């Protein structure tokens, strides 16, 4: 739980960090983040001596192609987020991560052909209404929010199909990003537009630390994801956009007209419906599991029931 809260808190406080990297532009910050993320991950792999997964992966070109696609999605997500924060749209970036679960559900229906429960359908409908309200408030669709939600949901879908752990996945993705990012930085330096060596040691160190800042929360998340129930992680994940929203209001003093409040209220209502549905479903599953275990225990007393029958009965309800 500590690792889970730490990961989402760091992600939620990202808007405080990216403005420190000015006068570097969003493109340079993105490239620096890609380069130094690989350096940070390689350092962790070296310390843990965790290299065994690389050789089998290199023999799977289809999987490598999926990793490259995931790297493309997360690159766009990082670029939009950095640009949004440094351009004074922190509140809108928080909206992107509030609506991300709704977009993920929509992807599940459209791409994976999943079936939704009634409350999930209601939540998606309320979320769609929120986007309409925000469109009216802005006079245009909230492109930053939609782009962040769509790219991160696409990245999550690809990541799920790749099936690598958090650290391995980040290493593979940043390896794909490394050469284009390094080439861009070399080009910037040749043109005299790089800020890395022209704005003091402190500025250079801050750019370098963007790699560690990327790796640390992901490692914390990887520790938490295999030890906590999904319902717990599903609720903790809202810490990040809550922090971002609070920073947008209290630190960056972004405007919040009534129409924007209405849009956020609808999104929060949709999320409340999702969380309520998830908790109710989890409780039903626990009750069903307990009954199955009691039934298996009772039937084990019967001579006709073998231990394997009991195990199969419990494993079925667990699935």
């Amino acid at each position: 739980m500590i690792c889970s809260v730490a990961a989402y808190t760091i992600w939620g406080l990202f808007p405080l960090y990216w403005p420190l990297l000015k006068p570097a532009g969003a493109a340079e910050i993105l490239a620096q983040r890609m380069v130094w993320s690989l350096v940070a991950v390689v350092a962790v792999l070296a310390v843990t001596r965790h290299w065994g997964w690389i050789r089998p992966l290199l023999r799977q070109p289809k999987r490598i192609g999926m990793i490259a696609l995931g790297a493309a999605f997360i690159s766009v997500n990082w670029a939009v987020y950095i640009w949004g924060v440094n351009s004074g749209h922190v509140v809108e970036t928080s909206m992107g991560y509030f609506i991300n679960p709704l977009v993920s559900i929509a992807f599940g229906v459209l791409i994976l052909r999943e079936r939704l429960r009634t409350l999930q359908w209601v939540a998606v409908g309320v979320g769609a209404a929120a986007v309409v309200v925000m469109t009216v408030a802005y006079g245009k669709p909230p492109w930053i929010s939609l782009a962040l939600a769509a790219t991160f949901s696409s990245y999550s879908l690809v990541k799920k199909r790749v099936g690598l752990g958090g650290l391995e996945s980040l290493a593979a993705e940043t390896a794909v990003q490394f050469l284009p990012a390094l080439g861009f930085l070399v080009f910037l330096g040749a043109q005299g537009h790089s800020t890395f060596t022209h704005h003091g040691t402190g500025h250079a160190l801050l750019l370098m630390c963007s790699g560690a800042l990327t790796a640390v929360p992901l490692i914390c998340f990887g520790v938490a994801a295999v030890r906590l129930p999904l319902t717990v992680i599903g609720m903790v994940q809202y810490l990040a956009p809550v922090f971002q929203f609070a920073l947008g209001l209290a630190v960056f003093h972004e405007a919040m007209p009534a129409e924007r409040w209405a849009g956020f209220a609808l999104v929060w209502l949709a999320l409340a419906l999702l969380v309520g549905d998830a908790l109710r479903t989890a409780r039903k599953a626990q009750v069903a599991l307990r009954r199955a275990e009691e039934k298996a225990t009772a039937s084990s007393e019967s001579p006709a029931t073998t231990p394997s029958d009991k195990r199969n009965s419990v494993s079925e309800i667990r699935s």
Side-chain angles (χ1 to χ4, degrees), residues 22-23 57 124 184:
K22 293 179 179 180
L57 178 62
V124 171
F184 177 74

Side-chain angles (χ1 to χ4, degrees), residues 127-298:
V131 173
V132 172
V133 170
M134 296 295 284
T135 299
V136 173
Y138 282 110
K140 59 180 181 181
W143 293 117
I144 294 176
S145 302
L146 295 175
L148 288 173
T151 53
F152 196 80
S153 295
S154 300
Y155 169 70
S156 300
L157 180 63
V158 171
K159 195 178 179 78
K160 180 179 179 181
R161 294 190 172 183
V162 170
L164 280 177
L167 183 62
E168 297 92 335
S169 179
L170 181 62
E173 291 155 9
T174 51
V176 172
Q177 296 169 331
F178 181 79
L179 286 180
L182 184 62
F184 177 74
L185 292 176
V186 170
F187 171 77
L188 274 185
Q191 297 294 313
H193 299 313
S194 174
T195 66
F196 185 72
T197 58
H198 294 84
H199 290 271
T201 304
H203 179 71
L205 289 174
L206 283 172
L207 287 171
M208 293 170 65
C209 287
S210 63
L213 198 65
T214 299
V216 168
L218 194 61
I219 293 171
C220 289
F221 176 77
V223 171
V226 297
R227 291 169 174 83
L228 289 178
L230 285 178
T231 49
V232 175
I233 292 178
M235 287 184 285
V236 176
Q237 73 172 328
Y238 297 120
L239 279 177
V242 165
F243 280 132
Q244 293 165 9
F245 179 76
L247 290 173
L249 292 183
V251 177
F252 299 101
H253 306 293
E254 294 186 17
M256 279 293 292
E259 299 88 347
R260 185 181 262 192
W261 277 113
F264 270 91
L266 288 172
V267 168
W268 293 331
L269 173 60
L271 295 180
L273 292 172
L274 283 183
V275 171
D277 178 73
L279 292 175
R280 187 183 65 172
T281 303
R283 281 196 297 269
K284 285 184 177 180
Q286 289 174 352
V287 170
L289 177 60
R290 186 165 57 250
R291 288 176 178 173
E293 289 175 337
E294 292 172 353
K295 182 179 179 181
T297 301

Side-chain angles (χ1 to χ4, degrees), residues 42-99:
V42 168
V44 174
L45 292 175
V47 170
T48 58
R49 297 181 181 179
H50 186 47
W51 306 105
W53 58 276
I54 297 178
R55 186 172 294 178
L57 178 62
L58 293 177
R59 294 195 291 265
Q60 303 175 65
K62 184 177 179 180
R63 206 175 183 194
I64 293 175
M66 294 293 288
I67 289 170
L69 181 61
F73 281 128
I74 199 61
S75 297
V76 175
N77 182 271
W78 287 357
V80 173
Y81 184 77
I82 293 169
W83 180 86
V85 168
N86 284 2
S87 300
H89 298 283
V90 175
V91 169
E92 193 173 346
T93 62
S94 74
M95 167 70 85
Y97 292 106
F98 275 126
I99 67 174

